[in-house]
Amino acid sequence: MEVAFGLLALVAIVCACSALGHKINISVPLLLVLAGVGCSFLPFVPTIELNPELVLVGLLPPLLYAAALQTSLFDFGSNRRAIGLLSVGYVIFGTVCIGLVVAWLFPEIPLAAAMALGAVVAPPDAVAATAIARKVGMPRKIVTILEGESLVNDATALVCLRAAIAAIAGTVSAAEIAGGFVLAAGGGLVVGIAAAFVLTALRKRIRNVAINTSISLIAPLVAYLPAEAIHASGVLAVVVTGLIMGTKAPSMPNGAARLSQRSNWHTVQFLLENSVFLLIGLQVRTIIEGVRDDSLGPERIWIGCAVVLLAVLVLRPVWVFPATYLPRLIPAVRRADPAPPWQYAAIVSWAGMRGVVTLAAVLVLPAGLEHRSVLILMALVVVAGTLTLQGFTLPGLVRWLHVSGPDPREDALNEASLMQMATAAGVRRLQEIRSDSDPPEVVAMLKRRTQERGLAAWERLGRPSAEAATPSQRYAQLRLEMLDAERAKVLELRRNGEYAHEVLANVLDRLDVEESMLDASLEEPESDGGRGEGIARPRGVCPHLESAPDPAIPADPFCAACLQEGTTTVHLRMCVECSNVACCDSSSGTHAYKHFRASGHPVMRSIEPGEDWRWCYPDELLG
């Protein structure tokens, strides 16, 4: 009963703090840590002892797998040097430096134990880094590097910790440490690839959504346990499996299974990563009480904790800035990957929050180790200090450096361009596979529905909130009202007991799927984002866009054809050849496209407020 009550309280606090944090615009991880600290001192809250096995096996693999599923393998590869220097180089550098600082502060603590603490506090936490990075709204390159680092650095840290614990128990040679690294990295990579191959092959052959989703949920353990059994890095195996399966998921059959996987992993990730921060706070009372009787003395212990925290904060920029700019002294590296602004390195330097993995790993230290409670307290101070100092000040630092995340309007433009190309591919495929026996109304309906989906993406651009809804948005609003009425009728019939439960459930499921799609179409892009890193261009060169003129925009533009015909204009486009102003394809008149067909002028541009993109009709390219 106590376990059930504890789980209920945990989930309730997580949900309440998450809702409150979003409502009052406070970082949810920091709010949960503070809630945990407060709860740890309540008299009716029992002592919470964090089981390291629970974290390292029960929490860490699924959290890393969920993060890896959402990480682009292509982005990971394009930033592999930066990720490798942080996740391997910085962790080893931090392990050695922190270990030497602890040994200097406390000669009573063995050097191997000091190095073990260095390995524990060296890696920034995967959950803390990505949770705050997404909230702050950093440029995608920084978020990719931080996510990649946080996925791999735990593997490096745990290997360093394993070597340090072996040294505490006896002697360990440099050759044994190097061999351990090779086995951990190579074994984790091989096991991760093998697990991804087996799981992907299974999921391709299983159409049942429940079974398919269940296989996805056990994937972290399928990768982790075999790797740990051969003394390889289970963490690295989980990350490799997640990266591969996340990349292959969109090309796998069964869309229902893909939707189910995303939904279930989103829920799992929400509960686990938020529970992690609450558990950090709940450890405070137990850890502080553990050092009361230590022979080193409270004053010396707390000063040492402060120095270690300071060293952790200082060592990261000491590593990040040289690791960012020294490799680019090589001309080949500089040409392939130009140096980023110094502000990027400053943000990466300050985004080094530690989390629950640090606390779990420090509890792995041998129980009989002298001054073990002091080492645990140091780890706690580093976790609490980095979460508080860096977590609270990181948003302000990003604003002060004038670094902003991707522009949502540019994202919407890229989405519309991508949807346009996908729609064109679908229509071409329809022309290839249709036959003379296909009913014309069916073919026309397929074309119309496919094209309307693409037009909806364009309609999200340039629409002031005060104006009337665009056709696609109004369609979604009206259809949602219809779905409410349809669902109410089905529920009324269910109360009357006229239909079987299975029949009713199937109908309600179909209504829910359609409603979820409409909800997504009504989501508005944020309007206060900063400029991103540029609009993604399709591959290839378009001579029409390169040679297109840049005429002045009329002071009071309008679509003369819409005015003449009495039709409604949604958005305005202008031909760059003759400055003809016409309505977009979402308008009923589609006069911009008709002008292209009549005149042959290939390029038009948007003249909506704040937009300067162009579109080439013949090549279907965005510029």
Side-chain angles (χ1 to χ4, degrees), residues 117-200:
L117 179 67
V120 163
V121 301
D125 183 64
V127 178
T130 55
I132 295 181
R134 289 196 185 99
K135 177 178 175 59
V136 170
M138 300 179 190
R140 285 200 175 97
K141 186 176 182 67
I142 295 180
V143 176
T144 298
I145 291 173
L146 291 176
E147 286 181 340
E149 176 197 8
S150 62
L151 287 174
V152 180
N153 61 7
D154 287 330
T156 308
L158 292 176
V159 172
C160 292
L161 177 61
R162 191 179 298 170
I165 291 176
I168 292 173
T171 58
V172 59
S173 65
E176 290 174 330
I177 294 176
F181 269 102
V182 172
L183 175 60
L189 184 64
V190 170
V191 172
I193 294 174
F197 176 80
V198 172
L199 291 168
T200 302

Side-chain angles (χ1 to χ4, degrees), residues 309-485:
L309 173 60
L310 179 63
V312 168
L313 296 175
V314 170
L315 286 172
R316 187 165 172 88
V318 167
W319 175 268
V320 168
F321 276 91
T324 300
Y325 296 106
L326 287 181
R328 291 178 170 88
L329 296 177
I330 303 172
V333 175
R334 186 169 60 250
R335 284 193 299 269
D337 185 16
W342 68 269
Q343 291 92 336
Y344 281 28
I347 292 172
V348 172
S349 299
W350 199 240
M353 292 73 69
R354 274 60 173 180
V356 74
V357 175
T358 294
L359 285 182
V362 78
L363 295 175
V364 176
L365 293 176
L369 180 65
E370 192 175 5
H371 307 297
R372 179 176 181 268
S373 59
V374 176
L375 297 175
I376 295 175
L377 179 63
M378 288 182 185
L380 173 66
V381 169
V382 169
V383 171
T386 54
L387 279 175
T388 303
L389 294 175
Q390 295 178 326
F392 273 122
T393 58
L394 186 58
L397 176 66
V398 173
R399 289 191 295 269
W400 181 66
L401 295 176
H402 302 291
V403 175
S404 52
D407 185 351
R409 291 179 62 80
E410 290 185 357
D411 284 350
L413 179 56
N414 281 323
E415 179 185 331
S417 174
L418 184 61
M419 186 66 74
Q420 176 92 10
M421 290 183 283
T423 298
V427 172
R428 285 195 299 270
R429 181 58 178 162
L430 175 63
Q431 298 296 341
E432 294 171 1
I433 63 175
R434 62 170 297 187
S435 64
D436 294 336
S437 60
D438 291 327
E441 61 272 16
V442 172
V443 176
M445 182 173 61
L446 285 169
K447 282 186 179 180
R448 186 180 70 252
R449 289 188 176 179
T450 303
Q451 291 168 345
E452 285 173 354
R453 184 187 58 192
L455 291 175
W458 288 105
E459 291 169 12
R460 298 179 65 189
L461 299 166
R463 181 173 68 249
S465 58
E467 291 185 2
T470 61
S472 294
Q473 187 183 33
R474 187 55 181 158
Y475 168 87
Q477 293 170 346
L478 294 173
R479 183 60 186 141
L480 283 173
E481 293 292 334
M482 293 172 64
L483 287 172
D484 286 342

Side-chain angles (χ1 to χ4, degrees), residues 140 405-417 457-465 524-536 571-573 605-613 622:
R140 285 200 175 97
D407 185 351
R409 291 179 62 80
E410 290 185 357
D411 284 350
L413 179 56
N414 281 323
E415 179 185 331
S417 174
W458 288 105
E459 291 169 12
R460 298 179 65 189
L461 299 166
R463 181 173 68 249
S465 58
E524 293 289 337
E526 298 292 337
S527 59
D528 59 349
R531 301 305 297 171
E533 297 181 23
I535 299 173
H571 292 155
L572 289 174
R573 313 300 186 213
R605 63 155 295 174
S606 172
I607 55 174
E608 290 295 312
E611 295 185 1
D612 60 359
W613 55 269
L622 183 69

Side-chain angles (χ1 to χ4, degrees), residues 226-240:
E228 289 294 319
I230 62 172
H231 302 290
S233 173
V235 169
L236 184 59
V238 169
V239 170
V240 171

Side-chain angles (χ1 to χ4, degrees), residues 258-271:
R258 293 195 296 271
L259 288 173
S260 176
Q261 172 183 273
R262 283 198 294 270
S263 176
N264 281 281
W265 272 112
H266 180 74
T267 303
V268 169
Q269 187 176 20
F270 167 78
L271 289 174

